[in-house]
């Protein structure tokens, strides 16, 4: 019903920048929230940034002031602008969304969706 496709990962030097994008496709009724988690080897998956319908944002303390999440109002796409990158940002970044889809004329069903992940590596 819903597919999340990430892009924009790659290699950056410390202090550099990358921009991730996540495009949601499918029969989307309400996109309640959409954002990014990341997971480094040997560590638990953690929230990086999240954007809710009303524009409320939530960032991990470690990225505040350096990462910015935004949404393309023309489509179901969110972006994560990552500036002043540090080596500890190296991880697989996963798009995450909570989306309601219409299953019939009077019923909708909401669920979480995950992208396959995109690798971000920050190294000299």
């Amino acid at each position: 019903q819903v597919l999340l496709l990430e892009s924009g990962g790659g290699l950056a030097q410390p202090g550099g920048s990358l921009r991730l994008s996540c495009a949601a496709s499918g029969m989307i009724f309400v996109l309640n929230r959409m954002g990014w988690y990341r997971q480094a080897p040997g560590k638990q998956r953690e929230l990086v940034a999240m954007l809710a319908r009303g524009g409320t944002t939530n960032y991990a303390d470690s990225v505040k002031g350096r990462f910015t999440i935004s949404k393309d109002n023309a489509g179901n796409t969110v972006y994560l602008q990552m500036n002043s990158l540090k080596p500890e940002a190296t991880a697989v970044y996963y798009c995450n969304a909570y989306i309601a889809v219409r299953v019939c004329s009077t019923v909708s069903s909401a669920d979480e969706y995950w992208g396959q992940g995109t690798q971000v590596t920050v190294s000299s």
Side-chain angles (χ1 to χ4, degrees):
Q1 292 180 303
V2 175
L3 175 66
L4 303 180
L5 182 62
E6 305 106 329
S7 63
L11 176 66
Q13 294 187 347
S17 298
L18 287 172
R19 189 174 78 156
L20 306 182
S21 65
C22 178
S25 61
M27 296 185 295
I28 299 172
F29 180 56
V30 178
L31 205 165
N32 297 111
R33 69 171 194 263
M34 196 169 179
W36 298 88
Y37 285 74
R38 68 185 178 189
Q39 187 169 24
K43 295 185 177 180
Q44 296 186 150
R45 188 171 298 186
E46 64 176 354
L47 174 70
V48 179
M50 190 65 61
L51 178 65
R53 288 180 64 194
T56 302
T57 57
N58 187 22
Y59 295 94
D61 289 340
S62 61
V63 307
K64 287 181 178 178
R66 300 184 298 110
F67 290 13
T68 303
I69 189 168
S70 61
K71 183 177 182 294
D72 181 359
N73 291 326
N76 295 311
T77 303
V78 293
Y79 306 93
L80 184 66
Q81 181 67 45
M82 304 186 294
N83 296 327
S84 301
L85 283 165
K86 301 177 180 179
E88 49 263 44
T90 297
V92 177
Y93 285 68
Y94 296 91
C95 182
N96 169 263
Y98 187 69
I99 298 172
V101 299
R102 180 69 74 183
V103 297
C104 69
S105 62
T106 58
V107 177
S108 63
S109 179
D111 203 356
E112 280 196 297
Y113 297 86
W114 292 91
Q116 290 187 334
T118 184
Q119 177 71 47
V120 170
T121 301
V122 183
S123 175
S124 298

